[in-house]
Every structure is written in structure tokens, then in C-alpha cells.
Amino acid sequence: MAMGMSVLTTICVVLSLILGVSATPGTATFYTNYVPSACYRNQNNGVMIAAASDPLWANGAICGKMYNVTCTGPTNPVPHPCTGNSVIVKIVDHCPGCGGTLDLSREAFATIANPVAGIIKIDYH
């Protein structure tokens, strides 16, 4: 049993290192009106959601993809905006000209950063 837990722990550490290396840097903002959305129209998809900026949109091919998002720092003078948490969000909308890579729901943004920051640096994968 102990050997099995050791192997499982090693696998988890290796996977977290691989995922950490493959993270993509970007920026995030937040929004508050979730329905309707470009991907799912009037379907409610909860609050751990995000909208994709033009470079990610790909004519909606990104709809439904899940991303693990982590705050990495401020883009403005708000000191220490990051909470140290990560959040998994589902892409449900398009945000043309939103000013960030991902436009997170307010709830998702607040999980990883102080909403007063408005826009933050992120890693996502």
C-alpha cells in the first residue's frame, strides 16, 4: 500500500511539473453578465466561466474548453493582487476587444485575485 502511494505521489509531482512548464502567460479581466453567451446562447453554465479574446477565439473552436488559470502578478499599481489560488474555467463566450487574454467571470477572477486590480497577469493551461 505504501509503495502504491509513493508511486502515485511521484506521478502527481511529475504531472504538476509538466503542466507548470506548459502554462501560457497572458492577462485577465472580468465581466458580470454571463447569459447570453456566444457559445451557448441562453444556457446557464454556472459562474466558473470565461470569455476568450480574439487571438484565442478561432471562430468558436475554443467553446467548451477548460483552462486552469493562476494569477502571476499585477499589471497596475495594486499591490499583491494574487490570492495564491488557481481556478478552472470553461470557455463560454467571446470577448472581442476585452483588453485581456481571458475575460473571467467575476467569481472566477475573485478566486485568484482581488477584483480591485481590474486586470492581472496570468498563466493558463
Side-chain angles (χ1 to χ4, degrees):
M1 181 73 170
M3 176 103 158
M5 290 301 286
S6 178
V7 171
L8 182 60
T9 301
T10 302
I11 291 171
C12 288
V13 168
V14 170
L15 284 175
S16 67
L17 289 172
I18 291 169
L19 292 175
V21 170
S22 66
T24 304
T27 57
T29 54
F30 69 87
Y31 69 114
T32 57
N33 293 323
Y34 311 143
V35 177
S37 71
C39 299
Y40 300 101
R41 299 189 181 138
N42 291 319
Q43 179 182 330
N44 183 338
N45 282 276
V47 295
M48 293 305 169
I49 57 174
S53 62
D54 286 333
L56 297 176
W57 182 242
N59 291 328
I62 196 170
C63 289
K65 294 200 186 252
M66 306 290 280
Y67 286 98
N68 187 330
V69 184
T70 305
C71 175
T72 59
T75 61
N76 54 44
V78 173
H80 313 293
C82 302
T83 65
N85 296 322
S86 293
V87 66
I88 296 174
V89 295
K90 178 181 178 180
I91 302 297
V92 300
D93 212 349
H94 180 210
C95 64
C98 65
T101 307
L102 295 174
D103 200 15
L104 304 173
S105 66
R106 181 171 171 67
E107 292 84 353
F109 191 99
T111 299
I112 63 170
N114 181 347
V116 171
I119 185 168
I120 54 170
K121 293 177 187 175
I122 59 167
D123 278 342
Y124 64 99
H125 60 274

